[in-house]
Amino acid sequence: MDVILPLADEYLLDSLYAKLIPLSAFAATPEAYEGLNSTLVPSKWTQLVSHLPHPPLPEVAAYEAVSAWPRDYLLRESISITVLTLLGIHLLYFSTAWFSYNFIFDKRMMRHPKFLKDQVRLEIVTSLKAFPMMTLLTLPWFLAEVHGHSRLYDNVGTYGWPYFLFSIFFFLAFTDYCIYWAHRWLHIPVIYRWLHKPHHKWIIPTPFASHAFHPCDGYIQSLPYHIFIFLFPLHRYLYLGLFVFVNFWSIFIHDSDMITGHPLENIINGPAHHTLHHVYFTVNYGQYFTWSDRAGGSYMHPDYKFDPLRDIKEEKKAQ
């Protein structure tokens, strides 16, 4: 977020806040406006916003067409981050899930007896309801990041290329291991009924089910991504790329793909593995890799005999 927010401030938000919450709205007296540009003369809107909280203001003589909320004002930062996060997750969710649903997802899955009526619409509605609360829960992490409390760094030379490349694998391994345990604990019956059961409503998921869960469930499983950068150094732009990737991956593994036999299926926890998790509930808790499930005794290897579409495929072959 400390990459996106400065860019948004520079190219959009500075001018937007200057119009919405102008510094001139907080002038003490009408005489204070003498000599100012006519566009700064009080309007009904500026009179309204003059009641908003604000940081200490400069002297009237210093007033310009700028906002009373500077970039580092906590309320402005909170609003900006919340709006940018909501816009970003909606854009990523709808674009990637739409692509996966139309070009990867096997529509024959919708003929499965456990595929719900109007399921795609329900998945989307559940996701849209979850996004605002998830964003608010995540806001403190983004604020801490913006204020420089993380271990993100800018120059590759700070730690060198070997660490830069290693940190990619380290980030994925660390978050995968943490998510494995968070996901497994979410299946403890008392927790499951409260938090995780809404996501398992989708026994045969579509890509739109990727974010269709209780907001606290989604937040808990996102914590390792935020915690990592406060414990370990990670390049700022690499983190941004990885953060987009993990959201893309969450959508990708919900496409109900049961293609098996590829050389990496013993290592990578892909769509086939996660399809089995939705069908059988207590297997394949991992996010990217299979080793945590293997070590924890919860691994289920994808096999054609477990394919939810097996009967449909064999029926087609027999015709």
Side-chain angles (χ1 to χ4, degrees):
M1 185 53 70
D2 63 346
V3 173
I4 297 174
L5 183 60
L7 291 174
D9 281 333
E10 179 72 23
Y11 294 104
L12 174 64
L13 297 181
D14 284 344
S15 60
L16 183 61
Y17 278 108
K19 292 178 181 178
L20 294 178
I21 309 172
L23 190 59
S24 60
F26 300 88
T29 64
E31 291 76 16
Y33 291 97
E34 293 181 2
L36 293 179
N37 187 294
S38 60
T39 60
L40 300 179
V41 175
S43 64
K44 290 183 178 179
W45 174 256
T46 55
Q47 292 177 37
L48 179 63
V49 301
S50 66
H51 300 287
L52 292 174
H54 57 79
L57 302 175
E59 295 297 327
V60 173
Y63 276 27
E64 300 177 6
V66 296
S67 176
W69 287 4
R71 290 185 180 184
D72 60 354
Y73 184 45
L74 184 61
L75 182 56
R76 168 175 165 168
E77 287 179 331
S78 299
I79 293 173
S80 299
I81 290 172
T82 298
V83 172
L84 290 172
T85 303
L86 284 172
L87 289 175
I89 191 58
H90 279 80
L91 177 62
L92 182 66
Y93 172 72
F94 280 108
S95 61
T96 308
W98 176 88
F99 178 87
S100 181
Y101 177 78
N102 284 281
F103 297 102
I104 301 176
F105 176 67
D106 191 333
K107 303 299 191 299
R108 291 177 297 177
M109 284 287 190
M110 302 171 76
R111 295 163 54 188
H112 193 279
K114 292 187 178 180
F115 193 87
L116 303 179
K117 181 181 179 181
D118 295 328
Q119 180 173 312
V120 173
R121 181 184 65 82
L122 293 172
E123 290 171 341
I124 293 173
V125 170
T126 303
S127 299
L128 294 181
K129 289 181 178 179
F131 288 154
M133 181 56 69
M134 287 177 56
T135 299
L136 291 177
L137 290 171
T138 305
L139 179 60
W141 294 99
F142 283 150
L143 284 171
E145 179 187 330
V146 167
H147 282 266
H149 299 301
S150 73
R151 300 193 65 186
L152 293 172
Y153 64 94
D154 295 302
N155 190 346
V156 175
T158 303
Y159 294 95
W161 279 105
Y163 179 79
F164 178 91
L165 297 175
F166 166 75
S167 66
I168 299 173
F169 171 78
F170 186 28
F171 175 87
L172 295 176
F174 175 88
T175 55
D176 179 77
Y177 183 74
C178 292
I179 290 172
Y180 168 82
W181 283 109
H183 193 178
R184 187 159 187 166
W185 291 335
L186 283 165
H187 277 260
I188 296 172
V190 63
I191 302 175
Y192 176 83
R193 286 192 297 270
W194 177 44
L195 289 180
H196 199 50
K197 187 176 181 179
H199 186 61
H200 274 280
K201 180 178 181 179
W202 330 112
I203 296 174
I204 305 296
T206 80
F208 291 105
S210 58
H211 292 72
F213 35 45
H214 190 290
C216 292
D217 179 359
Y219 172 70
I220 290 170
Q221 295 196 62
S222 74
L223 281 175
Y225 305 127
H226 303 293
I227 292 172
F228 183 91
I229 62 171
F230 289 88
L231 296 178
F232 310 106
L234 189 65
H235 192 275
R236 198 174 310 279
Y237 290 99
L238 176 60
Y239 179 57
L240 177 61
L242 288 170
F243 201 82
V244 172
F245 167 77
V246 297
N247 280 278
F248 169 80
W249 185 264
S250 295
I251 295 171
F252 173 68
I253 62 174
H254 283 88
D255 67 8
S256 297
D257 178 9
M258 276 298 294
I259 297 175
T260 60
H262 59 82
L264 294 178
E265 72 178 13
N266 289 321
I267 302 172
I268 303 299
N269 189 80
H273 298 78
H274 200 69
T275 296
L276 295 181
H277 174 73
H278 274 263
V279 173
Y280 295 97
F281 286 55
T282 57
V283 299
N284 299 348
Y285 296 108
Q287 186 80 348
Y288 311 110
F289 307 110
T290 63
W291 51 53
S292 294
D293 282 295
R294 291 179 183 278
S298 55
Y299 179 69
M300 185 175 186
H301 189 75
D303 190 279
Y304 177 71
K305 65 184 178 182
F306 302 127
D307 189 346
L309 281 180
R310 186 183 64 174
D311 292 340
I312 296 174
K313 291 176 180 178
E314 290 180 352
E315 178 182 333
K316 183 177 180 180
K317 288 180 182 179
Q319 291 177 351

Coordinates of all heavy atoms in Angstrom, one line a residue, residues 87-163:
L87 N -11.6 -0.7 -4.1 CA -11.5 -0.6 -5.6 C -10.6 -1.7 -6.2 O -11.0 -2.4 -7.1 CB -11.0 0.7 -6.1 CG -12.0 1.9 -5.9 CD1 -11.3 3.2 -6.3 CD2 -13.2 1.7 -6.7
G88 N -9.5 -1.9 -5.5 CA -8.5 -2.9 -6.0 C -9.1 -4.3 -5.9 O -9.0 -5.1 -6.9
I89 N -9.7 -4.7 -4.8 CA -10.2 -6.1 -4.6 C -11.4 -6.3 -5.5 O -11.5 -7.4 -6.0 CB -10.5 -6.4 -3.1 CG1 -10.7 -7.9 -2.9 CG2 -11.7 -5.6 -2.7 CD1 -9.6 -8.8 -3.3
H90 N -12.2 -5.3 -5.7 CA -13.3 -5.5 -6.6 C -12.8 -5.7 -8.1 O -13.3 -6.6 -8.8 CB -14.3 -4.3 -6.6 CG -15.2 -4.4 -5.4 ND1 -14.9 -4.0 -4.1 CD2 -16.5 -4.7 -5.3 CE1 -15.9 -4.1 -3.3 NE2 -16.9 -4.6 -4.0
L91 N -11.9 -4.9 -8.5 CA -11.3 -5.0 -9.8 C -10.7 -6.4 -10.0 O -10.9 -7.1 -11.0 CB -10.3 -3.9 -10.1 CG -9.6 -3.9 -11.4 CD1 -10.6 -3.8 -12.6 CD2 -8.6 -2.8 -11.5
L92 N -9.8 -6.8 -9.1 CA -9.1 -8.1 -9.2 C -10.1 -9.2 -9.2 O -10.0 -10.2 -10.0 CB -8.1 -8.2 -8.1 CG -7.2 -9.5 -8.0 CD1 -6.3 -9.5 -9.3 CD2 -6.4 -9.5 -6.8
Y93 N -11.0 -9.2 -8.2 CA -12.0 -10.3 -8.1 C -12.8 -10.5 -9.4 O -12.9 -11.6 -9.9 CB -12.9 -10.0 -6.9 CG -14.1 -10.9 -6.7 CD1 -13.9 -12.2 -6.3 CD2 -15.4 -10.5 -7.0 CE1 -15.0 -13.1 -6.1 CE2 -16.5 -11.4 -6.8 CZ -16.2 -12.7 -6.4 OH -17.3 -13.5 -6.2
F94 N -13.4 -9.4 -9.8 CA -14.3 -9.5 -11.0 C -13.6 -9.8 -12.3 O -14.1 -10.6 -13.1 CB -15.2 -8.3 -11.1 CG -16.4 -8.3 -10.2 CD1 -16.4 -7.4 -9.1 CD2 -17.5 -9.2 -10.4 CE1 -17.5 -7.4 -8.3 CE2 -18.5 -9.2 -9.5 CZ -18.6 -8.3 -8.4
S95 N -12.4 -9.2 -12.5 CA -11.7 -9.5 -13.7 C -11.1 -10.9 -13.8 O -11.3 -11.6 -14.7 CB -10.6 -8.4 -13.9 OG -9.7 -8.5 -12.8
T96 N -10.5 -11.3 -12.7 CA -9.8 -12.6 -12.7 C -10.9 -13.7 -12.6 O -10.8 -14.8 -13.3 CB -8.8 -12.7 -11.5 OG1 -7.9 -11.6 -11.6 CG2 -8.0 -14.0 -11.6
A97 N -11.8 -13.6 -11.7 CA -12.9 -14.6 -11.5 C -13.7 -14.8 -12.8 O -14.1 -15.9 -13.2 CB -13.8 -14.3 -10.4
W98 N -14.0 -13.6 -13.4 CA -14.7 -13.7 -14.7 C -13.9 -14.4 -15.8 O -14.5 -15.3 -16.5 CB -15.0 -12.2 -15.2 CG -15.7 -12.2 -16.5 CD1 -17.0 -12.3 -16.8 CD2 -15.1 -12.1 -17.8 NE1 -17.3 -12.2 -18.2 CE2 -16.1 -12.1 -18.8 CE3 -13.7 -12.0 -18.2 CZ2 -15.8 -12.0 -20.2 CZ3 -13.5 -11.9 -19.6 CH2 -14.5 -12.0 -20.5
F99 N -12.6 -14.1 -15.9 CA -11.8 -14.8 -16.9 C -11.7 -16.3 -16.6 O -11.9 -17.1 -17.5 CB -10.4 -14.2 -16.8 CG -9.5 -14.9 -17.8 CD1 -9.4 -14.4 -19.1 CD2 -8.6 -15.9 -17.4 CE1 -8.5 -15.1 -20.0 CE2 -7.8 -16.6 -18.3 CZ -7.7 -16.1 -19.6
S100 N -11.5 -16.7 -15.3 CA -11.4 -18.1 -15.0 C -12.7 -18.8 -15.2 O -12.7 -19.9 -15.7 CB -11.0 -18.2 -13.5 OG -10.8 -19.6 -13.1
Y101 N -13.8 -18.1 -14.8 CA -15.1 -18.8 -15.0 C -15.5 -19.0 -16.4 O -16.0 -20.0 -16.8 CB -16.2 -17.9 -14.4 CG -17.6 -18.4 -14.5 CD1 -18.1 -19.4 -13.7 CD2 -18.5 -17.8 -15.5 CE1 -19.4 -19.9 -13.9 CE2 -19.8 -18.2 -15.6 CZ -20.2 -19.3 -14.8 OH -21.5 -19.7 -15.0
N102 N -15.1 -18.1 -17.3 CA -15.5 -18.2 -18.7 C -14.5 -19.0 -19.6 O -14.9 -19.6 -20.6 CB -15.6 -16.8 -19.3 CG -16.9 -16.1 -18.9 OD1 -17.9 -16.4 -19.5 ND2 -16.8 -15.2 -17.9
F103 N -13.2 -19.1 -19.1 CA -12.2 -19.7 -20.0 C -11.6 -20.9 -19.4 O -10.9 -21.7 -20.1 CB -11.2 -18.7 -20.4 CG -11.7 -17.6 -21.2 CD1 -11.9 -16.3 -20.7 CD2 -12.0 -17.8 -22.6 CE1 -12.4 -15.3 -21.4 CE2 -12.5 -16.7 -23.3 CZ -12.8 -15.5 -22.7
I104 N -11.7 -21.2 -18.1 CA -11.1 -22.3 -17.4 C -12.1 -23.2 -16.7 O -12.0 -24.4 -16.9 CB -10.0 -21.8 -16.4 CG1 -9.0 -20.9 -17.0 CG2 -9.4 -23.0 -15.7 CD1 -8.0 -20.4 -16.1
F105 N -13.0 -22.7 -16.0 CA -14.0 -23.4 -15.2 C -14.8 -24.3 -16.2 O -15.3 -23.9 -17.2 CB -14.9 -22.5 -14.5 CG -16.0 -23.1 -13.7 CD1 -15.8 -24.0 -12.6 CD2 -17.3 -23.0 -14.1 CE1 -16.8 -24.6 -11.9 CE2 -18.4 -23.6 -13.4 CZ -18.1 -24.4 -12.3
D106 N -14.9 -25.6 -15.8 CA -15.6 -26.6 -16.6 C -17.1 -26.5 -16.2 O -17.5 -26.8 -15.1 CB -15.1 -28.0 -16.3 CG -15.7 -29.0 -17.2 OD1 -16.8 -28.8 -17.8 OD2 -15.0 -30.1 -17.4
K107 N -17.9 -25.9 -17.1 CA -19.3 -25.7 -16.9 C -20.1 -27.0 -16.5 O -21.2 -26.9 -16.0 CB -19.9 -25.0 -18.0 CG -19.3 -23.6 -18.4 CD -19.3 -22.6 -17.3 CE -18.9 -21.2 -17.8 NZ -17.6 -21.2 -18.3
R108 N -19.5 -28.1 -16.9 CA -20.2 -29.3 -16.5 C -20.3 -29.5 -15.0 O -21.2 -30.3 -14.6 CB -19.5 -30.5 -17.2 CG -19.6 -30.6 -18.7 CD -18.8 -31.8 -19.3 NE -17.4 -31.6 -19.0 CZ -16.5 -32.6 -19.3 NH1 -16.9 -33.7 -19.9 NH2 -15.2 -32.4 -19.0
M109 N -19.5 -28.9 -14.3 CA -19.5 -28.9 -12.8 C -20.9 -28.5 -12.3 O -21.4 -28.9 -11.3 CB -18.4 -28.1 -12.2 CG -17.0 -28.7 -12.3 SD -16.9 -30.0 -11.1 CE -15.1 -30.3 -11.2
M110 N -21.5 -27.6 -13.1 CA -22.8 -27.0 -12.6 C -23.9 -28.0 -12.7 O -25.0 -27.8 -12.2 CB -23.1 -25.8 -13.5 CG -22.0 -24.7 -13.4 SD -22.2 -23.3 -14.5 CE -23.6 -22.4 -13.7
R111 N -23.6 -29.2 -13.3 CA -24.6 -30.3 -13.4 C -24.5 -31.2 -12.2 O -25.3 -32.1 -12.0 CB -24.4 -31.1 -14.7 CG -24.7 -30.3 -16.0 CD -24.1 -30.9 -17.2 NE -24.6 -32.3 -17.4 CZ -24.1 -33.1 -18.3 NH1 -23.1 -32.7 -19.1 NH2 -24.5 -34.4 -18.4
H112 N -23.5 -31.0 -11.4 CA -23.3 -31.8 -10.2 C -24.5 -31.7 -9.2 O -25.0 -30.5 -9.0 CB -22.0 -31.5 -9.5 CG -21.6 -32.5 -8.5 ND1 -22.1 -32.5 -7.2 CD2 -20.7 -33.5 -8.5 CE1 -21.5 -33.5 -6.5 NE2 -20.7 -34.1 -7.3
P113 N -25.0 -32.7 -8.6 CA -26.2 -32.6 -7.7 C -25.9 -31.7 -6.5 O -26.9 -31.2 -6.0 CB -26.4 -34.0 -7.3 CG -25.2 -34.8 -7.6 CD -24.6 -34.1 -8.8
K114 N -24.7 -31.4 -6.1 CA -24.4 -30.6 -5.0 C -24.1 -29.1 -5.4 O -23.8 -28.3 -4.5 CB -23.3 -31.1 -4.1 CG -23.7 -32.4 -3.4 CD -22.6 -32.9 -2.5 CE -23.0 -34.2 -1.8 NZ -22.0 -34.6 -0.8
F115 N -24.3 -28.8 -6.7 CA -24.1 -27.5 -7.1 C -25.4 -26.7 -6.9 O -26.5 -27.2 -7.3 CB -23.8 -27.4 -8.6 CG -23.3 -26.1 -9.1 CD1 -22.0 -25.7 -9.0 CD2 -24.2 -25.2 -9.6 CE1 -21.6 -24.4 -9.5 CE2 -23.8 -23.9 -10.1 CZ -22.5 -23.5 -10.0
L116 N -25.4 -25.7 -6.1 CA -26.6 -25.0 -5.6 C -27.3 -24.2 -6.7 O -26.7 -23.7 -7.7 CB -26.3 -24.1 -4.5 CG -25.5 -24.7 -3.3 CD1 -25.2 -23.6 -2.3 CD2 -26.4 -25.8 -2.7
K117 N -28.6 -24.0 -6.5 CA -29.4 -23.2 -7.4 C -28.9 -21.7 -7.2 O -28.7 -21.2 -6.1 CB -30.9 -23.3 -7.1 CG -31.8 -22.4 -7.9 CD -33.2 -22.5 -7.5 CE -34.1 -21.7 -8.4 NZ -35.5 -21.8 -8.0
D118 N -28.7 -21.0 -8.4 CA -28.2 -19.6 -8.3 C -26.9 -19.5 -7.6 O -26.6 -18.5 -7.0 CB -29.3 -18.7 -7.7 CG -30.5 -18.6 -8.5 OD1 -30.5 -18.7 -9.7 OD2 -31.6 -18.4 -7.9
Q119 N -26.1 -20.5 -7.7 CA -24.9 -20.5 -6.8 C -23.9 -19.4 -7.2 O -23.3 -18.7 -6.3 CB -24.1 -21.9 -6.9 CG -22.8 -21.9 -6.1 CD -22.2 -23.3 -6.0 OE1 -22.9 -24.2 -5.8 NE2 -20.9 -23.3 -6.3
V120 N -23.7 -19.1 -8.5 CA -22.8 -18.1 -8.9 C -23.2 -16.7 -8.3 O -22.4 -16.0 -7.8 CB -22.6 -18.0 -10.4 CG1 -21.8 -16.8 -10.8 CG2 -22.0 -19.3 -11.0
R121 N -24.5 -16.4 -8.4 CA -25.0 -15.2 -7.9 C -24.8 -15.1 -6.4 O -24.4 -14.1 -5.8 CB -26.5 -15.0 -8.2 CG -27.1 -13.7 -7.7 CD -28.6 -13.6 -8.0 NE -29.3 -14.7 -7.2 CZ -29.7 -14.5 -5.9 NH1 -29.3 -13.4 -5.3 NH2 -30.3 -15.5 -5.3
L122 N -25.0 -16.2 -5.7 CA -24.8 -16.3 -4.2 C -23.4 -16.1 -3.8 O -23.1 -15.4 -2.8 CB -25.4 -17.6 -3.7 CG -26.9 -17.8 -3.8 CD1 -27.3 -19.3 -3.4 CD2 -27.6 -16.8 -2.9
E123 N -22.5 -16.7 -4.6 CA -21.0 -16.6 -4.4 C -20.6 -15.1 -4.5 O -19.9 -14.6 -3.6 CB -20.2 -17.4 -5.3 CG -20.4 -18.9 -5.1 CD -19.7 -19.7 -6.2 OE1 -19.5 -19.2 -7.3 OE2 -19.4 -20.9 -6.0
I124 N -21.1 -14.4 -5.5 CA -20.8 -13.0 -5.7 C -21.3 -12.1 -4.6 O -20.6 -11.3 -4.1 CB -21.3 -12.5 -7.1 CG1 -20.5 -13.3 -8.2 CG2 -21.1 -11.0 -7.3 CD1 -21.0 -13.0 -9.6
V125 N -22.6 -12.4 -4.3 CA -23.2 -11.6 -3.2 C -22.5 -11.8 -1.9 O -22.2 -10.8 -1.2 CB -24.7 -12.0 -3.1 CG1 -25.3 -11.3 -1.8 CG2 -25.5 -11.5 -4.3
T126 N -22.1 -13.0 -1.6 CA -21.4 -13.3 -0.3 C -20.0 -12.6 -0.3 O -19.6 -12.0 0.7 CB -21.2 -14.8 -0.1 OG1 -22.4 -15.4 -0.1 CG2 -20.5 -15.1 1.2
S127 N -19.3 -12.6 -1.5 CA -18.0 -11.9 -1.6 C -18.2 -10.4 -1.4 O -17.4 -9.8 -0.7 CB -17.4 -12.2 -3.0 OG -17.2 -13.6 -3.1
L128 N -19.2 -9.8 -2.0 CA -19.4 -8.4 -1.9 C -19.7 -7.9 -0.5 O -19.3 -6.9 -0.1 CB -20.5 -7.9 -2.9 CG -20.2 -8.1 -4.4 CD1 -21.4 -7.6 -5.2 CD2 -19.0 -7.3 -4.8
K129 N -20.4 -8.8 0.2 CA -20.7 -8.5 1.6 C -19.5 -8.6 2.5 O -19.4 -7.9 3.5 CB -21.8 -9.4 2.1 CG -23.2 -9.2 1.5 CD -24.2 -10.1 2.1 CE -25.6 -9.9 1.6 NZ -26.6 -10.8 2.1
A130 N -18.6 -9.5 2.1 CA -17.4 -9.7 2.9 C -16.3 -8.6 2.7 O -15.6 -8.3 3.7 CB -16.7 -11.0 2.6
F131 N -16.2 -8.0 1.5 CA -15.1 -7.1 1.2 C -15.0 -5.9 2.2 O -13.9 -5.6 2.6 CB -15.3 -6.6 -0.2 CG -14.9 -7.6 -1.3 CD1 -15.5 -7.6 -2.5 CD2 -14.1 -8.7 -1.0 CE1 -15.2 -8.5 -3.5 CE2 -13.8 -9.6 -1.9 CZ -14.3 -9.5 -3.2
P132 N -16.1 -5.2 2.5 CA -16.0 -4.0 3.4 C -15.4 -4.3 4.7 O -14.5 -3.6 5.2 CB -17.4 -3.5 3.5 CG -18.1 -3.9 2.2 CD -17.5 -5.3 2.0
M133 N -15.9 -5.3 5.4 CA -15.4 -5.7 6.7 C -14.0 -6.2 6.7 O -13.1 -5.8 7.5 CB -16.3 -6.7 7.4 CG -15.9 -7.1 8.8 SD -15.7 -5.7 9.9 CE -17.5 -5.3 10.1
M134 N -13.6 -7.0 5.7 CA -12.3 -7.4 5.5 C -11.3 -6.3 5.3 O -10.2 -6.2 5.9 CB -12.2 -8.4 4.3 CG -12.7 -9.8 4.6 SD -12.6 -10.8 3.1 CE -10.9 -10.7 2.7
T135 N -11.8 -5.3 4.6 CA -10.9 -4.1 4.3 C -10.7 -3.3 5.6 O -9.6 -2.9 5.9 CB -11.6 -3.2 3.3 OG1 -11.7 -3.9 2.1 CG2 -10.8 -1.9 3.0
L136 N -11.7 -3.1 6.4 CA -11.6 -2.4 7.7 C -10.7 -3.2 8.7 O -9.9 -2.6 9.4 CB -13.0 -2.2 8.3 CG -13.9 -1.2 7.6 CD1 -15.2 -1.1 8.3 CD2 -13.2 0.2 7.5
L137 N -10.8 -4.5 8.7 CA -9.9 -5.3 9.6 C -8.5 -5.2 9.1 O -7.6 -5.2 10.0 CB -10.4 -6.7 9.6 CG -11.7 -7.0 10.3 CD1 -12.2 -8.5 10.0 CD2 -11.6 -6.8 11.8
T138 N -8.3 -5.1 7.8 CA -6.9 -5.0 7.3 C -6.3 -3.6 7.4 O -5.1 -3.5 7.3 CB -6.9 -5.5 5.8 OG1 -7.5 -6.8 5.8 CG2 -5.5 -5.6 5.3
L139 N -7.1 -2.6 7.6 CA -6.7 -1.2 7.6 C -5.5 -0.9 8.5 O -4.5 -0.3 8.1 CB -7.8 -0.3 7.9 CG -7.5 1.2 7.9 CD1 -7.0 1.7 6.6 CD2 -8.8 2.0 8.3
P140 N -5.5 -1.4 9.8 CA -4.3 -1.1 10.7 C -3.0 -1.6 10.1 O -2.0 -1.0 10.3 CB -4.7 -1.8 12.0 CG -6.2 -1.9 11.9 CD -6.6 -2.1 10.5
W141 N -3.0 -2.8 9.4 CA -1.8 -3.3 8.8 C -1.3 -2.4 7.7 O -0.1 -2.1 7.7 CB -2.0 -4.7 8.3 CG -2.3 -5.7 9.3 CD1 -3.6 -6.2 9.7 CD2 -1.4 -6.4 10.2 NE1 -3.5 -7.1 10.7 CE2 -2.1 -7.3 11.0 CE3 0.0 -6.4 10.3 CZ2 -1.5 -8.1 11.9 CZ3 0.6 -7.2 11.2 CH2 -0.1 -8.0 12.0
F142 N -2.2 -1.9 6.9 CA -1.8 -1.0 5.8 C -1.3 0.3 6.4 O -0.3 0.9 5.8 CB -3.0 -0.8 4.8 CG -3.2 -1.9 3.9 CD1 -4.5 -2.2 3.4 CD2 -2.2 -2.7 3.5 CE1 -4.7 -3.3 2.5 CE2 -2.4 -3.8 2.6 CZ -3.6 -4.1 2.1
L143 N -1.9 0.8 7.4 CA -1.5 2.1 8.0 C -0.1 1.9 8.6 O 0.8 2.8 8.4 CB -2.5 2.5 9.1 CG -3.8 3.1 8.6 CD1 -4.8 3.3 9.8 CD2 -3.6 4.5 7.9
A144 N 0.1 0.8 9.3 CA 1.5 0.6 9.8 C 2.5 0.5 8.7 O 3.6 1.0 8.9 CB 1.5 -0.7 10.7
E145 N 2.1 -0.1 7.6 CA 3.0 -0.2 6.5 C 3.3 1.1 5.9 O 4.5 1.5 5.6 CB 2.3 -1.1 5.4 CG 3.1 -1.3 4.1 CD 2.3 -2.0 3.1 OE1 1.5 -2.9 3.4 OE2 2.6 -1.8 1.9
V146 N 2.3 2.0 5.7 CA 2.5 3.3 5.2 C 3.4 4.2 6.1 O 4.1 5.0 5.6 CB 1.1 4.0 4.9 CG1 1.3 5.5 4.7 CG2 0.4 3.3 3.7
H147 N 3.3 4.0 7.4 CA 4.0 4.8 8.3 C 5.4 4.2 8.6 O 6.1 4.7 9.5 CB 3.3 4.9 9.6 CG 2.1 5.9 9.6 ND1 2.3 7.2 10.0 CD2 0.9 5.8 9.1 CE1 1.2 7.9 9.8 NE2 0.3 7.0 9.3
G148 N 5.8 3.2 7.8 CA 7.2 2.8 7.8 C 7.6 1.8 8.9 O 8.7 1.6 9.2
H149 N 6.6 1.1 9.5 CA 6.9 0.2 10.6 C 7.2 -1.2 10.1 O 7.5 -2.1 10.9 CB 5.7 0.1 11.5 CG 5.4 1.5 12.2 ND1 6.3 2.1 12.9 CD2 4.3 2.2 12.1 CE1 5.8 3.3 13.3 NE2 4.6 3.4 12.9
S150 N 7.0 -1.5 8.8 CA 7.3 -2.8 8.2 C 8.8 -2.9 7.9 O 9.6 -1.9 8.0 CB 6.5 -3.1 7.0 OG 7.0 -2.3 5.9
R151 N 9.2 -4.0 7.4 CA 10.6 -4.2 7.0 C 10.7 -4.2 5.5 O 11.7 -4.8 4.9 CB 11.2 -5.5 7.6 CG 11.1 -5.5 9.1 CD 12.0 -6.6 9.7 NE 13.4 -6.4 9.4 CZ 14.3 -7.3 9.7 NH1 14.0 -8.5 10.3 NH2 15.6 -7.1 9.4
L152 N 9.8 -3.6 4.8 CA 9.9 -3.4 3.3 C 11.1 -2.5 3.0 O 11.4 -1.6 3.7 CB 8.6 -2.8 2.8 CG 7.4 -3.7 2.9 CD1 6.1 -2.9 2.4 CD2 7.5 -4.9 2.0
Y153 N 11.8 -2.8 1.9 CA 12.9 -2.0 1.5 C 12.8 -1.7 0.0 O 12.1 -2.4 -0.7 CB 14.2 -2.7 1.9 CG 14.5 -4.0 1.1 CD1 15.3 -4.0 0.0 CD2 14.0 -5.2 1.7 CE1 15.5 -5.2 -0.7 CE2 14.3 -6.4 1.0 CZ 15.0 -6.4 -0.2 OH 15.3 -7.6 -0.8
D154 N 13.6 -0.7 -0.4 CA 13.5 -0.2 -1.8 C 14.6 -0.7 -2.7 O 14.4 -1.0 -3.9 CB 13.5 1.3 -1.8 CG 12.3 1.9 -1.1 OD1 11.1 1.6 -1.6 OD2 12.4 2.7 -0.2
N155 N 15.8 -0.8 -2.2 CA 17.0 -1.0 -3.1 C 17.4 -2.5 -3.0 O 17.6 -3.0 -1.9 CB 18.1 -0.2 -2.6 CG 19.3 -0.2 -3.5 OD1 19.4 -1.1 -4.4 ND2 20.2 0.7 -3.4
V156 N 17.4 -3.2 -4.1 CA 17.8 -4.6 -4.1 C 19.1 -4.8 -3.5 O 19.4 -5.8 -2.9 CB 17.7 -5.2 -5.6 CG1 18.2 -6.6 -5.6 CG2 16.3 -5.1 -6.2
G157 N 20.0 -3.8 -3.7 CA 21.4 -3.9 -3.2 C 21.4 -4.0 -1.7 O 22.5 -4.4 -1.1
T158 N 20.4 -3.6 -1.0 CA 20.4 -3.6 0.5 C 20.6 -5.0 1.0 O 21.4 -5.2 2.0 CB 19.0 -3.1 1.0 OG1 18.8 -1.8 0.5 CG2 19.0 -3.1 2.5
Y159 N 20.0 -6.0 0.4 CA 20.2 -7.4 0.8 C 20.8 -8.3 -0.3 O 21.1 -9.4 0.0 CB 18.9 -8.0 1.4 CG 18.4 -7.3 2.6 CD1 17.5 -6.3 2.6 CD2 18.8 -7.7 3.9 CE1 17.0 -5.7 3.7 CE2 18.4 -7.1 5.0 CZ 17.5 -6.1 5.0 OH 17.0 -5.5 6.1
G160 N 20.9 -7.7 -1.5 CA 21.4 -8.5 -2.6 C 20.4 -9.3 -3.3 O 19.3 -9.6 -2.8
W161 N 20.8 -9.7 -4.5 CA 19.9 -10.5 -5.4 C 19.7 -11.9 -4.9 O 18.6 -12.4 -5.0 CB 20.5 -10.6 -6.8 CG 20.2 -9.3 -7.6 CD1 21.1 -8.3 -8.0 CD2 19.0 -9.0 -8.2 NE1 20.4 -7.4 -8.7 CE2 19.1 -7.8 -8.9 CE3 17.7 -9.6 -8.2 CZ2 18.1 -7.1 -9.6 CZ3 16.7 -9.0 -8.9 CH2 16.9 -7.8 -9.6
P162 N 20.7 -12.5 -4.3 CA 20.4 -13.9 -3.7 C 19.2 -13.9 -2.7 O 18.4 -14.7 -2.7 CB 21.7 -14.3 -3.1 CG 22.7 -13.6 -3.9 CD 22.1 -12.2 -4.2
Y163 N 19.3 -12.9 -1.8 CA 18.2 -12.8 -0.8 C 16.9 -12.4 -1.5 O 15.8 -12.9 -1.1 CB 18.5 -11.8 0.3 CG 17.3 -11.7 1.3 CD1 17.2 -12.7 2.3 CD2 16.4 -10.7 1.2 CE1 16.1 -12.6 3.2 CE2 15.3 -10.6 2.1 CZ 15.1 -11.6 3.1 OH 14.1 -11.6 3.9

